[in-house]
Amino acid sequence: PFLAWDAFTNPSNFQLVQSSRDDSSLLTDTKIRNKHISSGDVLLVWHQNENQLLFLDHVAIVLDNDLYYEKSGSGDHVPFRINTWDGLAADFPPAVFNWDWRRFARDGVYDNKEKKKEKEKEQDSDVAGKEDCNEIDQPYSLPSAPDAFGLQNFASLEQFDLLSHLRLDVARSFSMTPQYSEDGSTVESQTYTAIIELDHELVFDEMGRASLPESAFLVDSMKPTLPPDIYRDDPEVIITMKDSTKPR
């Protein structure tokens, strides 16, 4: 909740990309709505009645055209899900709520091209300055799916000691979602999901949007491969995220 509020109130960290307050067509025109936003942008849904406090009602993450990742309701044990624009609009009627799309700004600027232009103007004759500009164009590196969601995650190991005995390659091949009791004191079940790393690269359209290659939809490519023995030789070794990022 603190990060969501920071995204809403701190323009130096999360710069405004577009808002329904400035352009109401964002709520009705699909092409206009998706023209400037990209995966990872934050959608903030809020309202403020006259002479009353402002309420941040909902937060969702942009995945693709009119596709969002969100929490399906309020509460500590409510699952996250993928929802569509129509689903969001049904839950939060556009006529009642305001819609802001914001983008996380690294170093206070999210538009690398604009920042590069500023750098070039300031240090046009400075070779070192131009090298700095080139560094700005390097994309932000997200952790891989196995690093981010694998069973070796230290947070998981605190509650599920058995996971610490898995071989690292096995731990990095699966993620887990525990289902807690209503009071949150007991884990009633766990759902394990295989993490599949594709052999083929993503396919990009003319707008730069990515889609999965055809091989991703083949049955054989969805089958995880496990070694005969899934446990580590040394059961006392505790797997941590640091282990998974060591050079090989």
Side-chain angles (χ1 to χ4, degrees):
F2 296 105
L3 286 176
W5 187 248
D6 184 55
F8 188 69
T9 59
N10 193 340
S12 63
N13 288 339
F14 290 85
Q15 295 191 354
L16 182 66
V17 178
Q18 60 189 24
S19 173
S20 62
R21 294 170 296 168
D22 303 323
D23 186 358
S24 60
S25 66
L26 295 171
L27 303 176
T28 58
D29 192 311
T30 301
K31 291 184 178 180
I32 294 178
R33 179 170 58 249
N34 293 294
K35 183 176 181 180
H36 297 294
I37 60 176
S38 61
S39 301
D41 287 347
V42 181
L43 169 63
L44 304 171
V45 184
W46 60 279
H47 78 280
Q48 183 177 24
N49 297 327
E50 188 175 355
N51 299 324
Q52 293 187 9
L53 296 175
L54 184 150
F55 292 90
L56 178 58
D57 300 280
H58 192 59
V59 178
I61 307 298
V62 177
L63 296 178
D64 206 337
N65 281 345
D66 285 349
L67 199 64
Y68 293 82
Y69 184 69
E70 63 165 7
K71 195 173 183 182
S72 58
S74 59
D76 294 334
H77 310 298
V78 177
F80 287 81
R81 67 182 180 186
I82 295 176
N83 200 0
T84 63
W85 170 261
D86 290 338
L88 286 171
D91 293 334
F92 302 94
V96 178
F97 297 91
N98 296 298
W99 303 67
D100 287 2
W101 286 262
R102 293 179 179 268
R103 185 169 302 160
F104 178 59
R106 298 173 183 84
D107 297 329
V109 178
Y110 70 78
D111 191 333
N112 287 343
K113 292 182 180 180
E114 291 301 320
K115 188 170 183 179
K116 182 176 180 179
K117 289 179 181 179
E118 293 177 5
K119 281 278 187 178
E120 289 177 341
K121 288 181 179 179
E122 294 174 0
Q123 302 172 326
D124 187 41
S125 60
D126 187 356
V127 175
K130 292 181 180 179
E131 291 177 353
D132 291 340
C133 294
N134 292 332
E135 291 179 0
I136 298 171
D137 282 346
Q138 297 178 0
Y140 176 73
S141 178
L142 292 174
S144 66
D147 284 337
F149 305 110
L151 297 178
Q152 81 280 1
N153 238 297
F154 189 79
S156 299
L157 299 178
E158 292 180 346
Q159 301 179 44
F160 307 97
D161 181 66
L162 181 62
L163 300 181
S164 65
H165 304 316
L166 292 174
R167 286 177 42 166
L168 181 58
D169 57 337
V170 174
R172 286 169 52 83
S173 298
F174 293 89
S175 64
M176 180 188 66
T177 303
Q179 182 64 45
Y180 292 92
S181 58
E182 291 187 3
D183 60 4
S185 61
T186 305
V187 177
E188 297 181 337
S189 64
Q190 300 101 263
T191 301
Y192 291 88
T193 305
I195 300 174
I196 307 296
E197 294 190 88
L198 301 177
D199 294 329
H200 299 86
E201 296 183 354
L202 297 176
V203 178
F204 294 89
D205 62 15
E206 64 276 5
M207 298 297 294
R209 298 186 184 278
S211 60
L212 294 174
E214 292 184 4
S215 59
F217 301 96
L218 300 177
V219 175
D220 290 341
S221 67
M222 293 293 104
K223 294 180 180 179
T225 302
L226 293 176
D229 185 2
I230 65 173
Y231 296 105
R232 307 192 76 175
D233 294 334
D234 182 1
E236 299 300 323
V237 176
I238 303 298
I239 308 171
T240 65
M241 284 295 290
K242 184 179 293 186
D243 292 326
S244 67
T245 57
K246 288 181 178 178
R248 298 180 180 179

